[in-house]
């Protein structure tokens, strides 16, 4: 069965960096676009970024452009999110989600999430 | 960026009743690439509907989606106790793949 397991969350000071990982199993990882979606405490869902199945294309929401970088290692079935220059407003639960072979997709499978708290 | 506006923000109904949730887009959603998700406290979202009207695998047939262009609807025909949750619409016709602000379905 499809499994997505995020890790790397924690408490970090404003301006610092953090890298999230999402380990995938149960499907052909290299055949699917992968996404990060976040949810601030008590708030709604916000799409963050997508990377194409072969890693050649990336798209971001405006609020993280230039600060976050999505990447993947298809040999390790792992998705990453490098987050630099973190701000308090980045505090959220971060979910990885499997898209379709196309970057334009709905999210059928989600991980359980990893919590990022940006605070001094 | 396509802005999705869900209404009502909160819907109070009783089990057995019919629920209708609306999602309006600020511009036409390409190819009706509109999905609906259910989220319960402490859980990841669950896909209900994709392509505006296609039920995801394992979703009961009391859930149905309809609409096109800028106006979409999620209908739950007869509410079960486990259906009380927050519901989100999402468009994936073009980046950024935006979500609505969410609609809470609560027990009356």
């Amino acid at each position: 069965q499809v499994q997505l397991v995020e890790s790397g969350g924690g408490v970090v000071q404003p301006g610092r960096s953090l890298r999230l990982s999402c380990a995938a199993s149960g499907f052909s990882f290299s055949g699917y676009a992968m996404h990060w979606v976040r949810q601030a405490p008590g708030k709604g869902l916000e799409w963050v970024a997508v990377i194409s199945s072969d890693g050649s294309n990336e798209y971001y929401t405006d609020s993280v452009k230039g600060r976050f970088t999505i990447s993947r290692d298809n040999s390790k079935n792992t998705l990453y999110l490098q987050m630099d220059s973190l701000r308090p407003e980045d505090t959220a639960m971060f979910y990885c989600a499997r898209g379709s072979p196309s970057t334009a997709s709905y999210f059928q499978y989600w991980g359980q999430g990893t919590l990022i708290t940006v605070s001094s | 960026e396509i802005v999705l506006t869900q209404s009502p923000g909160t819907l109070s109904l009783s089990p057995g009743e019919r629920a209708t949730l609306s999602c309006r887009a600020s511009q036409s959603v390409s190819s009706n690439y509109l999905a609906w998700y259910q989220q319960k406290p402490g859980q990841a979202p669950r896909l209900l509907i994709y392509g505006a009207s296609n039920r995801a695998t394992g979703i009961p047939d009391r859930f149905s989606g309809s609409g096109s262009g800028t106006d979409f609807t999620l209908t739950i025909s007869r509410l079960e106790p486990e259906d009380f949750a927050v519901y989100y619409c999402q468009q994936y016709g073009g980046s950024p793949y935006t979500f609505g602000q969410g609609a809470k379905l609560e027990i009356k």
Side-chain angles (χ1 to χ4, degrees), chain A residues 96-112:
Chain A
C96 68
R98 195 193 85 172
S100 70
S102 166
T103 53
S105 57
Y106 51 88
F107 313 134
Q108 183 162 11
Y109 297 101
W110 298 66
Q112 84 290 349

Side-chain angles (χ1 to χ4, degrees), chain A residues 39 44 47 103-107 111, chain B residues 37 39 44-45 47 50 88 92 97:
Chain A
Q39 186 169 36
W47 174 81
T103 53
S105 57
Y106 51 88
F107 313 134
Chain B
Y37 301 86
Q39 188 178 34
L47 176 69
Y50 63 93
Y88 294 93
Y92 53 100
Y97 305 123

Side-chain angles (χ1 to χ4, degrees), chain B residues 19-39:
Chain B
T20 302
L21 303 176
S22 173
C23 177
R24 177 161 290 179
S26 60
Q27 56 189 278
S28 185
V29 176
S30 175
S31 303
N32 294 329
Y33 281 174
L34 194 287
W36 289 93
Y37 301 86
Q38 176 193 69
Q39 188 178 34

Side-chain angles (χ1 to χ4, degrees), chain A residues 34-48:
Chain A
M34 295 295 296
H35 300 251
W36 288 100
V37 177
R38 67 183 176 181
Q39 186 169 36
K43 302 298 184 183
L45 300 169
E46 181 184 26
W47 174 81
V48 174

Side-chain angles (χ1 to χ4, degrees), chain B residues 81-104:
Chain B
E82 61 268 27
D83 298 336
F84 292 92
V86 178
Y87 291 83
Y88 294 93
C89 57
Q90 176 232 347
Q91 68 80 22
Y92 53 100
S95 177
Y97 305 123
T98 46
F99 288 90
Q101 82 279 17
K104 184 178 182 180

Side-chain angles (χ1 to χ4, degrees), chain B residues 2-107:
Chain B
I2 296 178
V3 176
L4 299 178
T5 303
Q6 294 185 236
S7 60
T10 301
L11 186 59
S12 300
L13 294 170
S14 301
E17 291 192 293
R18 181 185 185 91
T20 302
L21 303 176
S22 173
C23 177
R24 177 161 290 179
S26 60
Q27 56 189 278
S28 185
V29 176
S30 175
S31 303
N32 294 329
Y33 281 174
L34 194 287
W36 289 93
Y37 301 86
Q38 176 193 69
Q39 188 178 34
K40 296 179 180 179
Q43 296 184 17
R46 178 174 73 143
L47 176 69
L48 300 174
I49 301 288
Y50 63 93
S53 60
N54 302 289
R55 265 188 307 276
T57 303
I59 301 303
D61 60 8
R62 64 180 181 273
F63 290 91
S64 64
S66 62
S68 63
T70 60
D71 289 293
F72 299 89
T73 301
L74 175 70
T75 302
I76 311 171
S77 58
R78 287 167 55 93
L79 286 166
E80 297 287 342
E82 61 268 27
D83 298 336
F84 292 92
V86 178
Y87 291 83
Y88 294 93
C89 57
Q90 176 232 347
Q91 68 80 22
Y92 53 100
S95 177
Y97 305 123
T98 46
F99 288 90
Q101 82 279 17
K104 184 178 182 180
L105 179 56
E106 64 178 23
I107 299 177

